[in-house]
């Protein structure tokens, strides 16, 4: 980790800061390279792990059944009991989109818990101010990034 | 029939004026999800999707997969970062990220092409539904419906239309689901879950309905789904929706709820297609197989309005059929309106005032914008008279263009800070040429005499092998990776982008919350003090 702690932390957290939250506070994100294959911050490493895992699962759900159907059309297009669908049709037309929806919800939850782990609070976006405020942000000076 | 349609049209108007309750950037994730749904679902979803499933069988399912699962890729790779970047039209993003007016021009040109191709499908849908409701010929119907749309837009702009997305969504989905439930119930196909119960129908349908890779190969299936998935991530009008929410967290969750709202229709569409095909056979007194072959086979035009036809075959009251038809019409008009606005701003703002005439006045810009709407409206109308494909396929051409040209720019622009101007220009040019080449190769010979001569017949492609592997509908499967490679290679051999730009990308990935009205640019220019916040 590069040691460029430029934040003189103005906010107190009552001593509950965890290791990752500490790492987050000590990171100046504007100095860390963005490269999807070489995550440079602890947060990004954790985030990308979630992203890539779910992406692989997604690819399997979306392109898996159709590929299997191409390889083994016989077994894949047997009629399902009760529902009456040919198996491949159901897997592709129903399960693939539904799977993507469920994955999306899982991802959004995981990302929320990452935020929590790193002590990030979205409910008050204007008071965090660690990376500097906007032009109309009165608090921009106290937590802003200094050179 | 006509009267019932007019009544529904009147109800729509009322809903329009009441739609003022959606406020600024304070939209929560449920409403925004509905807005995503309304924005997303055009005539291609409402009419074309069921049409494709009905006519193309298992190949049609590729469209269901492509148009839904793409949202997941959008969610994990782009939504929140785009929200943080703060720019939400494709030309703006590309121009600011790559510091290049030329890149802006390319992106604007791509946007214009997308709007044009996409709208042809919508115009066709409006014409078909109008033809069905009013009983006129298709060509006068397209002209009338497009004139109404263009006139309404040229006069009022998008002011009203953006305010009532959620209302629109509710009307659209209620009309569609009512159609599915009532048809299913009245014909004894289904009770409470037609989305799953239509499976029982498969034994009665022709095998062609479900047989894998009957008419189209596995390659084309995957290429189509791939193009639609990454096209979704490249379409500017989808990304706009993330800019209207409170914060990134809401942006993420609204993608989830948006996907859910979209799937309400996408779960039901194949059921409607199955009902429609079965009813089609029953009403015409033909065997299930004859739906696909022989004299009484279903035509493309019939397939495209299968949603409405199914309601009619089921002997439902005319006002109900009108309701279903009106839903399709609403979807088509809303989407066309949105596309034309995008096109006109691409021309008036990105091309005219940024490149041709930097001193353009507001008045000139508005004039150019209106002229664009009228011109593109005329062009779309004429093309829709004799389109090369089904509604859904036409729209898919636009998706494969977006997936080839814009998606790699968004993705690399946001995820690899060393992507530079030269890389972006080279990549976008490659993508555009590849896609245009594909259309010229496979689609235009049907229209242009001398191209048909080269191809050796109107239905032929000029270079068959190119048409096989880079079909316009699935061009992204080859195109997207190629554009990625070109962009990365060129970026590597040319100088890195300026630090300012890199910081903007970094800001997009910082987990630090941002203010509602801030863009990455504001924050970067405030933090370092290298440049004053001049805009």
């Amino acid at each position: 980790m590069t040691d460029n702690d430029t934040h003189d932390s103005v906010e107190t957290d009552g001593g509950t800061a965890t290791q990752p939250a500490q790492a987050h506070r000590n990171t100046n994100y504007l100095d860390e390279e963005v490269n999807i294959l070489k995550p440079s911050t602890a947060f990004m490493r954790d985030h990308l792990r979630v992203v890539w895992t779910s992406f692989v699962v997604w690819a399997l759900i979306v392109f898996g059944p159709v590929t299997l159907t191409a390889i083994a059309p016989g077994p894949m297009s047997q009629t399902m009991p009760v529902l009456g669908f040919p198996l491949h049709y159901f897997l592709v037309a129903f399960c693939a989109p539904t799977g993507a929806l469920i994955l999306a919800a899982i991802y959004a939850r995981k990302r929320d818990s990452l935020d929590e782990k790193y002590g990030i609070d979205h409910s008050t976006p204007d008071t965090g101010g660690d990376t500097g405020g906007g032009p109309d942000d009165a608090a921009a000076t106290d937590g802003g990034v200094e050179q | 029939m006509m009267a019932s349609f007019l009544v529904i049209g009147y109800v729509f108007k009322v809903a329009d004026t009441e739609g003022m309750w959606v406020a600024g950037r304070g939209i929560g994730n449920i409403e925004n999800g509905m807005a995503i749904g309304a924005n997303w679902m055009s005539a291609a979803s409402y009419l074309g999707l069921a049409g494709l499933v009905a006519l193309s069988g298992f190949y049609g399912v590729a469209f269901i997969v492509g148009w839904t699962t793409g949202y997941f890729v959008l969610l994990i790779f782009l939504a929140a970062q785009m929200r943080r970047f703060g720019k939400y039209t494709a030309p703006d993003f590309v121009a600011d990220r790559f510091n290049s007016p030329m890149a802006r021009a390319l992106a604007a040109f791509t946007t214009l092409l997308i709007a044009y191709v996409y709208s042809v499908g919508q115009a066709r849908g409006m014409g078909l539904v109008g033809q069905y409701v009013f009983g006129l010929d298709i060509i006068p119907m397209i002209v009338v419906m497009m004139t109404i749309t263009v006139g309404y837009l040229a006069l009022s702009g998008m002011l009203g239309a953006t305010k009532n997305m959620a209302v629109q969504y509710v009307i659209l989905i209620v009309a569609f689901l009512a159609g599915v439930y009532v048809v299913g119930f009245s014909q004894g196909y289904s009770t409470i879950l037609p989305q799953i119960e239509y499976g029982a129908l498969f034994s009665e349908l022709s095998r062609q309905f479900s047989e894998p890779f009957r008419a189209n190969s596995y390659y084309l299936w995957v290429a189509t789904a791939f193009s639609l998935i990454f096209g979704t991530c490249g379409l500017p009008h989808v990304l706009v929706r993330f800019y209207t929410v409170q914060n990134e967290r809401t942006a993420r969750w609204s993608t989830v709820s948006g996907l859910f709202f979209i799937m309400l229709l996408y779960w039901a569409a194949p059921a409607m297609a199955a009902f429609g095909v079965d009813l089609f056979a029953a009403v015409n007194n033909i065997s299930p197989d004859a739906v696909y072959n022989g004299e009484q086979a279903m035509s493309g035009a019939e397939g495209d309005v299968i949603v409405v036809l199914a309601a009619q075959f089921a002997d439902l009251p005319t006002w109900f059929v009108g309701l279903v038809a009106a839903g399709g019409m609403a979807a088509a008009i809303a989407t066309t309106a949105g596309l034309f606005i995008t096109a006109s701003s691409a021309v008036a703002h990105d091309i005219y005032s940024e490149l041709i005439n930097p001193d353009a006045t507001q008045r000139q810009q508005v004039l150019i914008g209106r002229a664009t709407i009228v011109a593109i409206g005329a062009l779309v109308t004429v093309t829709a008279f004799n389109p090369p494909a089904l509604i859904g396929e036409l729209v898919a051409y636009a998706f494969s263009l977006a997936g080839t040209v814009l998606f790699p720019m968004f993705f690399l622009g946001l995820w690899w800070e060393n992507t530079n101007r030269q890389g972006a220009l080279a990549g976008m040019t490659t993508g555009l040429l590849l896609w245009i080449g594909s259309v010229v190769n496979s689609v235009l010979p049907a229209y242009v005499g001398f191209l048909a001569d080269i191809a050796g017949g109107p239905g032929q492609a000029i270079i068959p092998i190119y048409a096989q592997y880079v079909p316009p509908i699935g061009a992204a499967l080859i195109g997207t990776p190629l554009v990625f490679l070109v962009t990365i290679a060129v970026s590597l051999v040319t100088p890195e982008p300026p630090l300012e730009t890199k910081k903007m990308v970094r800001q997009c990935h910082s987990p630090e919350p941002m203010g509602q009205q801030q863009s990455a640019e504001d924050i970067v220019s405030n933090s370092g003090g290298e440049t004053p916040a001049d805009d």
Side-chain angles (χ1 to χ4, degrees), chain A residues 30 33-34 67 88 112 134, chain B residues 210 218 249 253 417 506 518:
Chain A
L30 291 188
E33 190 191 359
V34 170
T67 308
H88 71 283
D112 279 357
Chain B
S210 65
Y218 168 71
R249 187 173 175 273
W253 279 105
E417 61 180 30
R506 291 168 188 173
Q518 290 176 329

Side-chain angles (χ1 to χ4, degrees), chain B residues 151-507:
Chain B
Y152 152 79
L153 263 181
L155 291 176
S156 76
M158 234 351 213
L159 216 62
T162 46
K163 294 277 182 197
N164 55 43
M165 294 277 191
V167 179
Q168 252 171 25
Y169 170 79
V170 173
I171 293 169
L172 199 149
I173 201 73
V174 165
F176 194 88
L177 288 182
V180 175
Y181 271 89
V182 172
V183 170
F185 192 74
S186 68
Q187 301 303 302
Y189 292 135
S190 63
T191 48
I192 49 166
L193 270 182
Q195 292 87 344
I196 295 184
E197 285 179 77
Y198 75 98
L201 212 57
F202 273 74
S203 52
E204 290 159 41
L205 295 171
S206 164
R207 258 192 70 70
Q208 310 212 35
F209 190 80
S210 65
E211 193 179 312
F213 319 121
R214 159 174 59 95
N216 300 295
S217 65
Y218 168 71
Y219 179 83
L220 189 66
W221 200 104
V222 172
T224 307
F226 185 95
S227 290
L228 298 178
I229 287 165
F230 293 98
T232 303
C233 307
L235 277 180
H237 74 272
V238 176
L239 291 164
V240 179
R241 300 262 37 112
F242 301 116
Y243 203 57
T244 56
V245 294
Q246 290 146 350
N247 57 40
E248 311 163 52
R249 187 173 175 273
T250 321
R252 286 194 293 273
W253 279 105
S254 65
T255 316
V256 178
S257 50
L259 181 53
F260 172 75
F261 287 127
I262 290 165
M263 301 240 306
L264 284 180
L265 189 141
Y266 280 69
W267 277 317
M272 197 62 163
F275 298 162
V277 170
D278 195 55
L279 285 168
F280 186 88
V283 167
N284 291 330
N285 237 333
I286 52 178
S287 73
D289 280 325
V291 174
Y292 294 101
N293 301 302
E295 277 171 25
Q296 284 182 290
M298 194 188 292
S299 71
E302 283 169 330
D304 268 341
V305 287
I306 193 77
V307 173
V308 181
L309 279 183
Q312 193 202 24
F313 289 156
D315 274 335
L316 298 172
T318 43
W319 65 263
F320 187 82
V321 182
L323 172 78
V324 175
M329 198 68 106
I333 291 180
T335 308
T336 314
L339 288 166
F340 280 12
I341 290 295
T342 322
S344 78
S345 76
V347 173
H349 176 71
D350 294 309
I351 295 179
Y352 182 71
S353 76
E354 295 276 339
L355 295 170
I356 300 175
N357 178 5
D359 303 323
T361 60
Q362 285 284 340
R363 223 180 108 80
Q364 281 171 318
Q365 285 195 39
V366 172
L367 200 69
I368 296 278
R370 289 200 170 140
T372 316
I373 292 180
V374 173
I376 195 172
L379 202 60
V380 165
T381 309
V382 173
T383 321
F385 291 165
N386 180 18
L390 297 173
I391 298 174
E393 292 173 323
L394 285 170
V395 170
Y397 294 169
F399 275 74
S400 89
L401 175 62
T404 310
V405 179
L406 296 178
F407 171 70
M409 296 309 118
F410 291 162
F411 188 93
L412 285 173
L414 287 172
W415 281 100
W416 186 44
E417 61 180 30
N418 287 344
T419 324
N420 64 11
R421 176 191 309 161
Q422 291 85 347
L425 288 176
M428 290 205 311
T429 315
T430 314
L432 267 173
L433 290 179
L434 185 110
W435 185 84
I436 292 173
S438 174
V439 169
V440 171
N441 186 31
S442 325
V443 178
L444 290 190
Y447 297 93
V448 186
F450 77 92
L451 286 176
D453 292 340
I454 303 174
Q460 309 283 314
I462 299 171
I463 310 167
I465 185 96
Y466 191 68
Q468 190 185 343
Y469 289 102
V470 193
I473 205 164
L477 184 57
I478 301 267
T480 307
L482 183 72
V483 172
F484 265 90
L485 282 180
V486 170
T487 311
I488 293 171
V490 175
S491 294
L492 282 176
V493 296
T494 46
E496 292 189 5
L499 187 65
E500 186 87 354
T501 307
K502 288 186 171 187
K503 282 195 171 180
M504 235 144 72
V505 180
R506 291 168 188 173
Q507 175 59 27

